[in-house]
Amino acid sequence: MLKFDEELFLKLVEKEGLAFKGQIEEIVDSICQKGYSNIFLIGAGGTIAMMYPYEYILKSNSTIDVHAEIAAEFMVMNHRHFSKNSVCIFTSVSGTTQETVAAAEFCKERGATTLALVAEPNTPLTEVVDYCITTGSEKHSFDTFFMLLYMVIFRFMHNKNEFPQYEQFIREVSLLPQAILNAVKAFDKKAEEFAIRHKDTDYHMMVGSGNLWGNTYSYAMCILEEMQWIHAKSIHAAEFFHGTLELVLEDTSVILLKGEDETRPLMDRVERFAEKITSQLTVIDTKNFEMPGISEEFRKHFSVSINWAVLSRISVYLERERNHPLELRRYYRKVEY
């Protein structure tokens, strides 16, 4: 597969990623023993998008009070639920994202408990927070972060006596890297075909819901807009029929990210509409991917990882077909703003 090292993926995500289980449990258990009032999931750009699935999971499976907040807005909004008893969780590949580091400092100064997942060691974010898991590599960092966040969030739920299936769930987390690899291989040809067909498409609608809303938001903004300079709009399936539907024409690219949680009927409704109008409908459905050994009840959670991994295959083929490196920027971290 183009730009995919299977051995490196398994090393970083399966072997090294799973090795953090004990450390994560110790951190979360320590926080729970001390006591906390709520959880804030804080990020910027791709990392706030990464938090939305876990906010959804907690809201729909737990009574833990949770808030996913954009770092820059969080620091100026005087959030009335935030206090020294809050737990604030951050992720960053580089450990240098300006807004994320500033938000971590903001929370730490006010006495809140701070925890970060960071790829690069010895960076500003690693030095600010109370607890830090450093994975040590930018390669496959999102795949690893997603897996570690499952461990973090479901440990909090377990400690609140809201998730008795925790041990089974964690055993199945260990099967996730192989499920991701299988999905990537199964989807690779379709990803290439999509990139060839849409190399000159100048606008995409991306629709998602539930625990895939974050991926929808992130892929439209961070990949299509930032990394490929393609106009894109992320639309929540629940809001699609309140405006956006009027822009769908017979040649409009509409990409549906279908998961397996409670919001799937919302996506079905959009699909029924779109397939009547446009000839450029793409449906990426996690139900189409096998997850050997993973329980039916947990598939809806793991769809976040599966979906992100297969979307990443589209990225590398778009890069090739459009001759546009994913690292190329006009402004981001290039100019003052």
Side-chain angles (χ1 to χ4, degrees), residues 47-73:
T47 58
I48 183 57
M50 173 179 284
M51 297 302 193
Y52 290 146
Y54 301 95
E55 180 190 41
Y56 177 85
I57 287 169
L58 282 174
K59 283 185 173 180
S60 56
N61 293 274
S62 172
T63 59
I64 295 172
D65 184 30
V66 61
H67 307 269
E69 302 293 345
I70 300 171
E73 182 178 54

Side-chain angles (χ1 to χ4, degrees), residues 120-132:
E120 291 295 329
N122 304 314
T123 50
L125 185 58
T126 67
E127 296 170 2
V128 168
V129 295
D130 298 308
Y131 303 99
C132 188

Side-chain angles (χ1 to χ4, degrees), residues 11 26 57 74 88 160 225-226 242 244 275:
K11 175 179 182 290
E26 287 181 9
I57 287 169
F74 168 73
C88 302
K160 196 172 172 61
E225 292 182 338
E226 179 183 327
H242 296 273
T244 306
E275 64 187 3

